[in-house]
Amino acid sequence: MTARIATKTNERSTRSYARFLEGDVYVLMSRDGLECCGCFLQEREWVEDEGAFFGGYLKPVGEIVPTTFTSTWDMVAHLRRHRNEGHHVPGGIEAELWRDDAENFPRAERDSVASPLPPGGVEYGDRHVALRGEILRTVVGSGVHGIAIEGTDDHDELGVYIEPREWVLGPVRHRQDLIWRSQPEGARSGPGDTDLVMYSLAKYLRLALKGNPTVLLPLFAPEESVLRSTPFGDELRRMRSAFLSREAIERFLGYAQAQHERMLGRSRRGVPSRPELVARHGWDVKYGSHALRLAYQGRELATIGTLTLPMPPAERDRVLAVKRGEVPRDEVSTEIEGLLREVRRLLDEDRTSLPESPDLARITRFAIDARQGFWALSP
């Protein structure tokens, strides 16, 4: 079948949907979204009728499956299925869809929330590449967990950017992150300070596949903690479940145990305690709150297979009490050890719904499609 329709049906429709006149599959913008006209025509047959305005009409054949999509990402995924089934999809249509998306549906209302990097501070990495390719940035740290204490915590952000094509395809290796801190080198961040880490898509996905607790936070952050998200960032957040597995639970347990050891002063790495907290409470309550939070979140992953942010009220209040120094260290240590044993038992007895490993195939498809879409917008 050769499609010959090139009608614009919406004022916001542009050349993207009228240009591709040859092929089994093409896209038209309708009032309800992006419509796959190949599917539309294949599910109907032409019936001659002299009384009809066009001398006939399209009659549905069998059950009609909806093929109208409200996002460019979903349409691109639909076109991939057509290609996999051997249908003729016009070359370059995905790139045109992404370009049209950027032209007609700007994200300025959300993009403006993410502040540019001010001068000063400490910076490592390529600022231009990271900010130009940024697809997602959220609040992380105590703020997103709901356990920040006013006047005591700094502000942490984590972002993801898509690398230029020459970084991915070229022979030269490049730094895969941008680190920016408002404090000078060697100084600890304090109240009012900002720490920003941005990872290239490649590095971010590698860390997320391993279940890194901090790296997973942007995928589960509530909307009010999302500082910037493009359509690529939105899709990355929608596929959050693909990253969750028993490997992630193990990583949460490992991080909780490491924080617990630091809390008890047993860290083999010689990580120093915060002297002001030790002077006030007799021990580093921040290590204790980190360890308890991670243990709670490991249990949540093992039992219900998700990560709730901010933390559920009961757990959040308990962690805050520890952070304020209201709970004795031995009591906190006993609770952490009990949680770790509980999660270990769930894993050993195969009583968790999460798979053994993350969905690598789905994440790989995302990495390819996101880069191709972004590069189409950045010739």
Side-chain angles (χ1 to χ4, degrees):
M1 177 184 68
T2 300
R4 290 285 182 182
I5 299 175
T7 305
K8 297 181 180 180
T9 59
N10 185 298
E11 290 182 359
R12 304 190 76 172
S13 178
T14 66
R15 64 185 183 277
S16 301
Y17 313 108
R19 178 176 296 176
F20 303 103
L21 306 181
E22 301 290 338
D24 296 332
V25 178
Y26 67 107
V27 177
L28 193 69
M29 179 177 280
S30 70
R31 190 170 299 172
D32 299 319
L34 299 172
E35 185 158 9
C36 178
C37 296
C39 286
F40 180 89
L41 295 177
Q42 289 171 25
E43 293 165 355
R44 292 159 174 84
E45 63 180 6
W46 180 257
V47 176
E48 299 287 345
D49 184 348
E50 294 182 359
F53 184 79
F54 291 105
Y57 60 92
L58 289 170
K59 176 184 177 182
V61 178
E63 181 181 358
I64 301 298
V65 179
T67 55
T68 300
F69 302 93
T70 57
S71 77
T72 298
W73 190 274
D74 290 338
M75 176 55 77
V76 168
H78 179 75
L79 294 176
R80 185 197 309 115
R81 289 193 289 271
H82 274 298
R83 292 187 191 278
N84 291 341
E85 292 173 7
H87 300 158
H88 176 205
V89 181
I93 189 170
E94 291 91 343
E96 285 290 340
L97 285 167
W98 284 121
R99 274 194 284 270
D100 191 75
D101 187 285
E103 291 171 7
N104 287 322
F105 302 99
R107 311 273 299 181
E109 75 284 351
R110 239 170 135 181
D111 292 351
S112 61
V113 180
S115 59
L117 302 184
V122 177
E123 181 176 333
Y124 302 99
D126 192 317
R127 171 193 294 234
H128 174 73
V129 165
L131 295 181
R132 185 168 182 263
E134 186 176 23
I135 62 170
L136 178 64
R137 193 196 308 185
T138 76
V139 175
V140 292
S142 298
V144 78
H145 295 295
I147 56 174
I149 299 177
E150 187 174 356
T152 66
D153 288 295
D154 59 359
H155 176 78
D156 298 310
E157 299 178 6
L158 195 152
V160 185
Y161 62 91
I162 294 181
E163 317 89 322
R165 60 168 57 83
E166 60 269 23
W167 281 31
V168 176
L169 304 177
V172 179
R173 296 185 64 180
H174 297 267
R175 185 184 177 108
Q176 296 293 304
D177 56 32
L178 171 71
I179 297 174
W180 187 91
R181 299 181 66 240
S182 55
Q183 279 290 344
E185 187 73 47
R188 271 176 45 199
S189 296
D193 291 325
T194 295
D195 291 345
L196 167 66
V197 176
M198 296 182 66
Y199 291 126
S200 69
L201 183 61
K203 184 171 183 178
Y204 179 84
L205 294 180
R206 284 197 301 269
L207 292 172
L209 280 165
K210 295 177 180 178
N212 182 292
T214 300
V215 167
L216 290 176
L217 294 179
L219 304 180
F220 294 87
E223 283 295 320
E224 59 267 24
S225 295
V226 179
L227 303 177
R228 180 175 186 191
S229 187
T230 69
F232 306 113
D234 291 344
E235 179 62 20
L236 181 59
R237 279 169 53 80
R238 276 198 296 269
M239 58 184 291
R240 58 179 67 91
S241 62
F243 293 90
L244 297 184
S245 68
R246 300 184 189 198
E247 294 176 17
I249 299 174
E250 292 283 4
R251 189 55 61 97
F252 272 76
L253 292 185
Y255 274 70
Q257 186 62 48
Q259 294 291 318
H260 188 212
E261 293 294 325
R262 293 177 183 179
M263 175 192 111
L264 298 174
R266 300 177 189 164
S267 175
R268 297 177 181 178
R269 298 184 179 182
V271 179
S273 297
R274 299 164 183 84
E276 71 280 7
L277 295 180
V278 175
R280 189 180 310 146
H281 306 292
W283 61 290
D284 193 324
V285 294
K286 198 162 186 179
Y287 282 143
S289 67
H290 287 329
L292 184 61
R293 170 183 58 80
L294 287 161
Y296 278 141
Q297 291 174 330
R299 182 177 66 178
E300 183 180 32
L301 286 173
T303 53
I304 63 176
T306 192
L307 191 61
T308 302
L309 295 175
M311 296 179 69
E315 287 87 346
R316 183 171 69 240
D317 291 346
R318 180 64 169 172
V319 171
L320 278 170
V322 171
K323 195 173 181 180
R324 289 191 293 259
E326 299 169 0
V327 186
R329 186 178 75 166
D330 289 347
E331 182 178 332
V332 176
S333 181
T334 299
E335 183 173 2
I336 292 169
E337 290 173 346
L339 286 165
L340 295 179
R341 285 195 301 271
E342 179 184 352
V343 178
R344 174 55 56 199
R345 187 164 54 250
L346 290 170
L347 289 171
D348 291 345
E349 296 175 1
D350 197 23
R351 290 195 288 128
T352 176
S353 61
L354 291 181
E356 286 289 342
S357 302
D359 191 342
L360 182 59
R362 184 180 176 192
I363 295 167
T364 300
R365 286 197 303 271
F366 167 81
I368 295 170
D369 290 345
R371 286 192 178 104
Q372 289 178 337
F374 178 79
W375 292 342
L377 301 174
S378 309

